[in-house]
Amino acid sequence: MAQPGLRPFLPADAPTLAALFRASVEELAADDYSDDQREAWVSAADDEAEFGARLAGALTIVALVDGEIAGFASLKDNTLFDMLYVRPDLARQGVGTALADAVEKLAGARKTQKLTVEAADSARDFFAARGYIGQSRNTVTMNGEWLGNTTMVKELAAPAAGSTH
């Protein structure tokens, strides 16, 4: 697959990204979370306006493959890798990697030295392979369900002296 194109989030993307979020959680997290846990997780997108506001409140990037939305990622407060979701039919084809590369590059350009992610169990290996180190195991409650995740941190390289990037 060719390298996905990247662009900023647009408010009109919210319904498509909410549907992608739901599909990604339902399919890609099925081995790590029960049906009830995944249902509680995807409820975060039930209110598309609120979901869109969350995306707009962060630096959200959208990946495109063949002109169609393939995934998205968001950087919150320049220090939290808040969301990373890929369309299930395009999982493990470089979309997540392209999005993560972009988020890390943008965070670094904003002088962020340490990037944190609350990695779902289904994403922990992905982030570990990118150099994120587990700090703590967490249990969060969503709509009455307990879900586990791992706080992971990555030290970002300081920009080279005199760098114009």
Side-chain angles (χ1 to χ4, degrees):
M1 183 177 85
Q3 181 76 1
L6 302 176
R7 67 161 171 79
F9 164 77
L10 302 171
D13 295 331
T16 302
L17 297 187
L20 185 152
F21 168 77
R22 286 187 201 97
S24 181
V25 169
E26 287 296 339
E27 292 185 42
L28 302 178
D31 289 344
D32 297 295
Y33 297 95
S34 71
D35 291 345
D36 289 342
Q37 287 173 315
R38 291 191 324 276
E39 184 58 38
W41 187 353
V42 300
S43 71
D46 286 351
D47 182 334
E48 288 180 0
E50 189 176 301
F51 189 75
R54 177 179 176 183
L55 297 175
L59 175 59
T60 301
I61 304 164
V62 175
L64 302 171
V65 172
D66 297 328
E68 292 189 20
I69 291 178
F72 68 96
S74 64
L75 174 66
K76 184 176 180 183
D77 300 329
N78 295 332
T79 59
L80 179 65
F81 199 140
D82 190 37
M83 300 181 91
L84 174 62
Y85 293 91
V86 175
R87 228 171 60 201
D89 62 318
L90 296 174
R92 296 169 186 77
Q93 295 183 40
V95 175
T97 296
L99 286 163
D101 287 348
V103 166
E104 291 171 8
K105 189 175 286 190
L106 288 164
R110 287 165 169 71
K111 311 281 189 262
T112 300
Q113 295 178 356
K114 188 166 54 173
L115 199 53
T116 302
V117 64
E118 302 296 332
D121 293 351
S122 46
R124 194 173 48 229
D125 290 346
F126 172 82
F127 284 105
R130 297 187 61 80
Y132 288 78
I133 307 296
Q135 303 293 307
S136 64
R137 187 78 180 129
N138 314 302
T139 306
V140 296
T141 306
M142 292 184 194
N143 274 4
E145 289 292 322
W146 294 91
L147 287 82
N149 71 23
T150 303
T151 300
M152 303 179 81
V153 173
K154 180 177 183 176
E155 300 286 337
L156 298 180
S163 173
T164 57
H165 299 290

